[in-house]
């Protein structure tokens, strides 16, 4: 079977971001900058690098700034143009390349990740698609979704980005059990949303990168509210594994949980160190402040 090209990326961005209050009182958590780009822009760039041409944002009423960020801003463009700031002008004009379309769908009630993905059904259609959670920022040579796309083209089945987590973090994630099939690749045999450590089938956690076949929508339509009183994507995947294989990919790269203050700070330091404009000076600064003080 020829694998279908993945053209669509879904970004569930309706969450409240309570772990980052008061910063997220009026500003969406996805708009928090890591150095000079908001988290959602890193997400969009990763998806486009993996071939996405249709970006579907599942938003809520307080997230208008995301839509504005990806729209043209004629006033700002005019100011930059008359002041001769050509490189900045080009940066803000080309955040979304011309061949890419953005679609915004309101999630009317905060009913969970599963419900958010279901809201994207009509925009996705009968094709495989990416789901990208912007607060999981992954720093890697080959963008994580591009690693996953290549894997998908070989096996044509749903695929979850995973990594090992410490025992004390198990309760924050969807956790999988897997078995290695005859083809030598790991297939999900069980998936549980945010289990207690003692009930977890492993410490292999799903991070915010998924490739899903459209069969997931049927499953999402029939799941019931569960963990956290929400409709969980994990429960739909748990049902999907009875009908078709779902694989895992332990991707190459470092993941930063930018929904947490510590993860966000670590990402800021790493991306600051790698930044073309300020990296060298920032590195010198860090060396200075971490030097042991002599008395
Ligand atoms: C969601 C998913 C969870 C997954 C996690 C990755 O949880 O429900 O299965 O492991 O993203 O970040 P959330 O972080 O939205 O609570």
């Amino acid at each position: 079977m020829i694998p279908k090209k993945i053209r669509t990326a879904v970004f569930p961005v309706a969450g409240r971001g309570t772990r980052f209050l008061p910063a997220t009182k009026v500003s969406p958590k996805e708009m928090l900058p890591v150095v000079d780009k908001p988290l959602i822009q890193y997400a969009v760039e990763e998806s486009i690098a993996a071939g996405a041409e249709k970006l579907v944002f599942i938003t809520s009423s307080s997230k208008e700034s995301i839509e504005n960020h990806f729209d043209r801003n004629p006033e700002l463009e005019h100011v930059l143009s008359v002041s001769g700031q050509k490189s900045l002008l080009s940066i803000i004009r080309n955040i979304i390349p011309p061949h890419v379309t953005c679609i915004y769908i309101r999630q009317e009630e905060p009913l969970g990740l599963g419900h958010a993905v279901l809201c994207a059904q009509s925009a996705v259609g009968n094709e495989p698609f990416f789901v990208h959670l912007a607060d999981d920022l992954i720093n890697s040579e080959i963008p994580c979704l591009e690693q996953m796309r290549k894997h998908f083209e070989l096996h044509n089945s749903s695929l979850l980005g995973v990594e090992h987590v410490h025992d004390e973090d198990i309760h924050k994630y969807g956790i999988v059990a897997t078995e290695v099939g005859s083809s030598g690749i790991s297939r999900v045999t069980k998936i549980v949303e945010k289990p207690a450590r003692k009930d977890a089938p492993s410490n292999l956690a799903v991070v915010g990168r998924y490739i899903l076949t459209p069969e997931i929508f049927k499953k999402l339509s029939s799941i019931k509210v569960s963990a956290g009183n929400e409709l969980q994507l994990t429960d739909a995947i748990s049902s999907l594994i009875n009908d078709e294989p779902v694989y895992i990919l332990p991707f190459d790269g470092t993941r930063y949980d930018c929904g947490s203050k510590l993860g966000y700070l670590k990402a800021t330091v790493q991306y600051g160190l790698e930044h073309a404009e300020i990296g060298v000076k920032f590195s010198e600064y860090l060396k200075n402040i971490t030097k042991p003080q002599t008395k």
Side-chain angles (χ1 to χ4, degrees), residues 34 104 144 189 240:
V34 172
Y104 298 90
C144 181
T189 54
L240 188 65

Side-chain angles (χ1 to χ4, degrees), residues 4-258:
K4 281 193 179 154
K5 188 173 174 324
I6 304 175
R7 300 189 301 166
T8 310
V10 175
F11 304 93
V13 292
R16 289 200 189 90
T18 41
R19 286 191 288 166
F20 248 106
L21 283 169
T24 48
K25 187 178 168 200
V26 290
S27 181
K29 64 174 175 170
E30 296 80 8
M31 288 301 290
L32 289 171
V34 172
V35 190
D36 53 7
K37 270 194 281 190
L39 283 168
I40 190 66
Q41 189 176 333
Y42 287 95
V44 159
E45 287 175 358
E46 185 183 321
S47 300
I48 294 174
E53 296 167 355
K54 190 173 18 162
L55 313 180
V56 183
F57 299 84
I58 308 301
T59 72
S60 64
S61 57
S62 58
K63 306 275 181 156
E64 273 177 357
S65 58
I66 294 179
E67 207 167 329
N68 292 338
H69 184 73
F70 293 117
D71 198 358
R72 296 290 290 266
N73 183 336
E75 253 179 68
L76 176 60
E77 288 182 25
H78 177 71
V79 170
L80 293 174
S81 168
V82 294
S83 60
Q85 303 193 65
K86 287 200 184 122
S87 66
L88 272 183
L89 182 61
S90 155
I91 288 172
I92 66 142
R93 266 194 186 150
N94 297 308
I95 293 177
I96 300 289
H99 71 284
V100 174
T101 310
C102 296
I103 298 172
Y104 298 90
I105 296 173
R106 285 278 179 99
Q107 186 180 12
E108 286 169 5
E109 284 178 89
L111 296 178
L113 180 59
H115 179 254
V117 174
L118 185 56
C119 289
Q121 181 170 15
S122 58
V124 171
N126 193 27
E127 294 181 3
F129 61 104
F130 299 122
V131 174
H132 188 134
L133 307 186
D135 50 12
D136 277 330
L137 180 60
I138 298 177
N139 190 359
S140 56
E141 211 169 297
I142 301 172
C144 181
L145 281 181
E146 174 61 4
Q147 296 175 39
M148 292 176 66
R149 183 193 63 77
K150 286 186 181 147
H151 198 287
F152 174 82
E153 285 187 356
L154 296 176
H155 306 290
N156 217 10
S157 294
S158 294
L159 183 63
L160 314 178
V162 296
E163 72 173 15
H164 288 280
V165 295
H166 295 299
D167 285 355
E168 61 271 24
D169 291 326
I170 278 175
H171 69 281
K172 299 178 188 164
Y173 298 97
I175 301 289
V176 294
T178 59
E179 71 183 12
V180 182
S182 52
S183 56
I185 54 168
S186 294
R187 176 183 171 148
V188 177
T189 54
K190 189 175 183 187
I191 179 164
V192 197
E193 181 67 7
K194 302 192 173 86
R197 187 164 152 179
K198 62 173 179 35
D199 304 324
S202 75
N203 66 348
L204 207 48
V206 179
V207 303
R209 300 293 185 278
Y210 307 76
I211 291 177
L212 297 168
T213 58
E215 283 67 30
I216 197 71
F217 292 122
K218 236 178 286 151
K219 303 299 182 183
L220 285 167
S221 309
S222 57
I223 54 170
K224 302 261 179 310
V225 161
S226 67
N229 222 10
E230 293 183 337
L231 290 169
Q232 295 294 348
L233 179 58
T234 295
D235 292 341
I237 296 171
S238 175
S239 172
L240 188 65
I241 60 177
N242 298 322
D243 298 354
E244 55 178 55
V246 174
Y247 296 116
I248 56 159
L249 184 72
F251 54 88
D252 286 328
T254 306
R255 180 185 67 99
Y256 297 94
D257 173 10
C258 290

